């Protein structure tokens, strides 16, 4: 059995050489970077966003723009350190004009996220926004119909991989959705505090 880093490196390579598609073409044309994910590969918490924005595609790291600043603030207010967390996205190349990733793009990229979850084996997966919530709840919690983010945020869902590895999913609002909405920013903080209490 290869160690975690070696296994992740091989998944990273599959991302670099992913089947040609619109997002990969845009990556090549714009000299964008694929955004694989970063952080502690032994983390108990994994955060899963939707897809990289322009900043992320330029620097190759998840949540390094405006949404990332909000995420970092909320994490530190809740007493969590980003360096102890693993952060990634469902789709790992930037969609044009920050449009939502299409179902076929989610289907193409999500197996890479599945491998990251199997390798890292987090105890808690935080989904940010509707798209990552819907994917994770369907794939790992057997929920074909995703609840609304307004009703599901901050709740705990039991999840299980095909190999029988269990973890808890906690959906949260996407940081970008909290830029002009004080209430959802407060919820993001409260939900993050809940994750801290789940860990202790
Ligand atoms: N939004 C996301 O969903 N992911 C990122 O990495 C950045 C912004």
């Amino acid at each position: 059995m290869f160690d975690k880093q070696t296994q992740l490196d091989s998944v990273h390579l599959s991302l670099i050489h992913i089947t040609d598609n619109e997002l990969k073409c845009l990556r090549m044309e714009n000299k964008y970077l694929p955004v694989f994910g970063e952080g502690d590969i032994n983390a108990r918490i994994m955060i899963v966003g939707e897809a990289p924005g322009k900043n992320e595609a330029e620097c190759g790291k998840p949540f390094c723009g405006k949404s990332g600043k909000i995420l970092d603030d909320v994490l530190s207010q809740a007493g969590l350190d980003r360096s102890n967390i693993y952060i990634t996205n469902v789709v790992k190349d930037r969609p044009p004009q920050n449009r939502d990733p299409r179902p076929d793009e989610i289907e193409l990229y999500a197996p890479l996220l599945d491998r990251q979850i199997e390798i890292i084996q987090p105890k808690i997966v935080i989904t940010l926004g509707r798209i990552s919530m819907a994917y994770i709840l369907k794939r790992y919690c057997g929920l074909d119909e995703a609840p609304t983010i307004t009703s599901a945020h901050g709740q705990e869902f039991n999840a299980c991989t095909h190999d029988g590895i269990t973890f808890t999913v906690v959906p949260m609002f996407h940081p970008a959705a909290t830029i002009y909405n004080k209430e959802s920013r407060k919820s993001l903080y409260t939900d993050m505090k809940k994750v801290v209490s789940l860990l202790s």
Side-chain angles (χ1 to χ4, degrees):
M1 176 61 124
F2 294 112
D3 66 25
K4 281 186 173 189
Q5 191 58 60
T6 309
Q7 293 182 70
L8 285 168
D9 289 347
S10 133
V11 184
H12 196 164
L13 211 58
S14 327
L15 167 61
I16 293 166
H17 300 295
I18 199 161
T19 311
D20 283 342
N21 73 88
E22 186 190 352
L23 307 189
K24 186 182 175 191
C25 288
L26 281 176
R27 182 214 296 174
M28 309 304 261
E29 278 167 26
N30 293 288
K31 299 199 167 36
Y32 286 154
L33 294 165
V35 180
F36 181 62
E38 67 169 12
D40 182 353
I41 61 173
N42 296 307
R44 290 190 296 163
I45 302 176
M46 182 185 281
I47 294 180
V48 181
E50 181 175 305
K54 191 164 188 287
N55 285 302
E56 287 76 18
E58 282 171 357
C59 71
K61 292 172 187 292
F63 288 96
C64 63
K66 218 177 197 172
S67 295
K69 167 86 178 69
I70 296 172
L71 179 62
D72 289 350
D73 287 349
V74 172
L75 287 174
S76 74
Q77 283 161 18
L80 289 167
D81 188 341
R82 179 172 170 142
S83 65
N84 296 328
I85 295 172
Y86 192 86
I87 305 183
T88 187
N89 287 299
V90 179
V91 166
K92 299 179 192 302
D93 280 307
R94 180 187 182 216
Q97 277 80 49
N98 296 338
R99 67 157 167 76
D100 284 350
R102 293 192 310 253
D104 60 305
E105 291 163 347
I106 294 173
E107 197 178 319
L108 179 64
Y109 284 86
L112 306 176
L113 169 65
D114 295 334
R115 288 293 295 132
Q116 287 171 306
I117 291 175
E118 285 160 10
I119 295 165
I120 293 169
Q121 300 189 12
K123 293 280 163 260
I124 296 179
V125 171
I126 295 170
T127 59
L128 297 179
R130 182 177 47 84
I131 287 185
S132 60
M133 175 188 74
Y135 176 74
I136 295 279
L137 291 186
K138 181 168 184 189
R139 165 100 190 164
Y140 294 102
C141 309
L143 284 187
D144 275 337
E145 278 291 314
T148 63
I149 190 95
T150 314
S151 65
H153 77 87
Q155 286 193 42
E156 293 163 50
F157 293 85
N158 294 327
C160 189
T161 66
H162 291 312
D163 295 341
I165 298 160
T166 57
F167 58 94
T168 301
V169 179
V170 183
M172 295 188 195
F173 286 113
H174 194 285
T178 75
I179 292 178
Y180 301 110
N181 187 327
K182 271 195 184 160
E183 281 312 307
S184 50
R185 179 77 61 90
K186 257 194 236 160
S187 299
L188 193 53
Y189 168 71
T190 315
D191 297 345
M192 208 58 88
K193 286 291 273 187
K194 178 170 184 180
V195 164
V196 174
S197 71
L198 287 179
L199 281 176
S200 57

